[in-house]
Amino acid sequence: MVEPGATPWSAPAPVAVRQSSLRERNLAAIVAAVCRAEVPPSRADLAAELSMTRATAGRLVDELVAARVVDEVDRSQGARGRPAKGLLPGTGIVGLGLAVETDRLLVRAVDLRGRVVGERVVGSSAGDAESVLDALAHQAREVRRGLQGRRLVGVGVALPGIVDDDGRLLRAPNLRWNDVDVAGILASVGGRHRVLVANEADMAALVEAEPRPGRLGPWTDFVHVSAAVGVGGAIVSGGRVVAGEHGAAGELGHVCVDPSGPACGCGSTGCLEQYVGLRAVAEVSGLPRDRVATGLAAGAAAGDPRCVAAVEQVTHALSVALASVVNVVGISSVVLGGHLAALDPATIEAIRARLDARVIGSRWKPVQVTVARGDHAAAATGAAHRALADVVARPATWV
């Protein structure tokens, strides 16, 4: 698109870089470098890596330390002279992550180093949105009270449904919630901070893509499956979760496995969720829901026919649904989360082999299947990471 008054062949007009803009960029570059570093860098290390003068790097680091965005730590004595001070992401900066699941509420406070510094997990029965969110807000306030002087910079909320950019939950079939102003109801938790609302599968995928705020994981492109009572999914490309035009990308649980299959809460039939969701696996295996993750693989290994049937159902349904996604998006790495992360290696290999048979590009790039990190509150952790993202990207706002 050509701006009004411009000609298609004209070069963009040069834009002057204000001193404040340069400072903001340099602060962001320093924080990004500290967050991704394997070893705590010194001021001199940062100056060399970022092509800054030592004086500039030192002055900006001092600002970040004063604001608690960065912490100084002692490093081991070198060959000569005094040991340089190393720099780590600040422990005084905290993001609050909240998550609603069908049977529990979770709240996590996470600092810039990715450490959990406060947590609440409580059971929750199905109920109307306002009462459940009021209970969640109470738990969040309890966690906030225990932060002991740490600086809260934001609140993220993860929900099992479709969320718009204004923090409104449009639909969550497994909660039976529709058109809920989540950000408005939870505004008191955030105080002066905006409450950021997102899909729970997207937030669980964010933790896989970014195990610590500002530090990318080993895979930058993958399809993530988040399995609980419902089944969510996310597509991660270039280390970023793909939201889609309306924030509904990655609804893997509602990819059709069999059009003539059982009815789904979303209104369709034969959705993946009806074959690999917790209710479905528990029904076929005969296991209680709270034992599916720990008991399914053991039962199948022991020859229990119902567990064997459940494993076959999961293997078939996942290979059909994931092959469609992998063929469309062209990403050949898959991460299984929730109770699917407890599948035994033989089942994981069977899923991978069936995907290879269905994915057109597998001859050149075989599909990789692995399991998630095992964070029992991955969505809440991801929501906290999202709340912290602004500090990593725009630290000048917080200095």
Side-chain angles (χ1 to χ4, degrees):
M1 178 184 290
V2 178
E3 295 295 329
T7 55
W9 57 84
S10 62
V15 178
V17 178
R18 295 179 289 111
Q19 189 64 31
S20 60
S21 297
L22 184 59
R23 172 179 170 273
E24 289 167 7
R25 277 191 223 168
N26 285 339
L27 283 168
I30 288 173
V31 172
V34 171
C35 286
R36 68 173 176 260
E38 295 291 338
V39 176
S42 67
R43 287 168 169 79
D45 294 334
L46 291 172
E49 178 184 346
L50 303 173
S51 301
M52 295 180 190
T53 66
R54 288 197 179 196
T56 297
R59 183 177 68 254
L60 295 176
V61 167
D62 287 343
E63 291 185 44
L64 293 167
V65 170
R68 305 174 74 188
V69 176
V70 167
D71 290 341
E72 288 187 301
V73 294
D74 288 327
R75 297 206 307 188
S76 59
Q77 176 73 48
R80 292 186 298 177
R82 293 182 300 172
K85 291 284 188 180
L87 301 165
L88 285 171
T91 58
I93 298 291
V94 174
L96 203 61
L98 286 59
V100 177
E101 298 181 357
T102 55
D103 58 353
R104 60 179 188 162
L105 306 176
L106 305 98
V107 179
R108 266 194 169 175
V110 179
D111 68 18
L112 272 176
R113 293 187 200 172
R115 304 184 312 174
V116 177
V117 296
E119 182 177 63
R120 284 281 183 119
V121 181
V122 298
S124 174
S125 56
D128 66 279
E130 191 159 350
S131 63
V132 171
L133 292 174
D134 282 346
L136 182 64
H138 171 72
Q139 298 302 324
R141 284 190 284 269
E142 290 297 308
V143 172
R144 283 195 65 169
R145 274 194 278 271
L147 292 181
Q148 299 177 340
R150 290 182 171 92
R151 184 181 180 191
L152 180 68
V153 295
V155 177
V157 185
L159 297 165
I162 300 172
V163 177
D164 70 11
D165 292 337
D166 297 322
R168 182 176 288 274
L169 176 71
L170 303 181
R171 190 177 185 204
N174 287 310
L175 296 177
R176 297 187 176 137
W177 294 0
N178 295 286
D179 197 24
V180 180
D181 181 14
V182 176
I185 294 172
L186 295 175
S188 63
V189 175
R192 63 188 181 87
H193 304 297
R194 180 185 173 199
V195 176
L196 305 169
V197 186
N199 173 266
E200 62 87 18
D202 287 351
M203 294 300 93
L206 178 60
V207 177
E208 295 299 317
E210 187 183 270
R212 203 173 84 181
R215 176 184 287 183
L216 293 179
W219 287 4
T220 57
D221 299 85
F222 58 91
V223 177
H224 185 266
V225 185
S226 177
V229 171
V231 176
I235 299 165
V236 176
S237 178
R240 296 179 177 272
V241 177
V242 178
E245 184 179 1
H246 305 294
E251 282 294 329
L252 182 64
H254 301 291
V255 171
C256 184
V257 173
D258 178 2
S260 61
C264 181
C266 73
S268 186
T269 56
C271 294
L272 177 66
E273 186 173 292
Q274 300 306 308
Y275 300 93
V276 305
L278 205 53
R279 287 193 191 103
V281 177
E283 182 178 345
V284 175
S285 67
L287 295 169
R289 289 187 202 173
D290 60 359
R291 286 195 54 223
V292 165
T294 57
L296 183 63
D304 183 310
R306 296 187 67 178
C307 288
V308 170
V311 168
E312 171 57 27
Q313 175 174 292
V314 167
T315 302
H316 171 73
L318 274 177
S319 64
V320 170
L322 284 170
S324 298
V325 175
V326 170
N327 277 326
V328 170
V329 303
I331 293 174
S332 57
S333 298
V334 175
V335 178
L336 302 179
H339 58 270
L340 297 178
L343 293 172
D344 66 285
T347 302
I348 298 293
E349 174 56 25
I351 293 168
R352 190 206 62 75
R354 294 194 194 188
L355 280 171
D356 270 351
R358 294 177 180 272
V359 172
I360 193 168
S362 63
R363 177 179 174 184
W364 300 275
K365 187 169 178 57
V367 179
Q368 299 180 72
V369 181
T370 190
V371 297
R373 298 172 185 277
D375 184 345
H376 76 92
T381 303
H385 283 203
R386 189 183 182 205
L388 290 164
D390 191 63
V391 179
V392 177
R394 287 173 288 276
T397 308
W398 306 94
V399 171

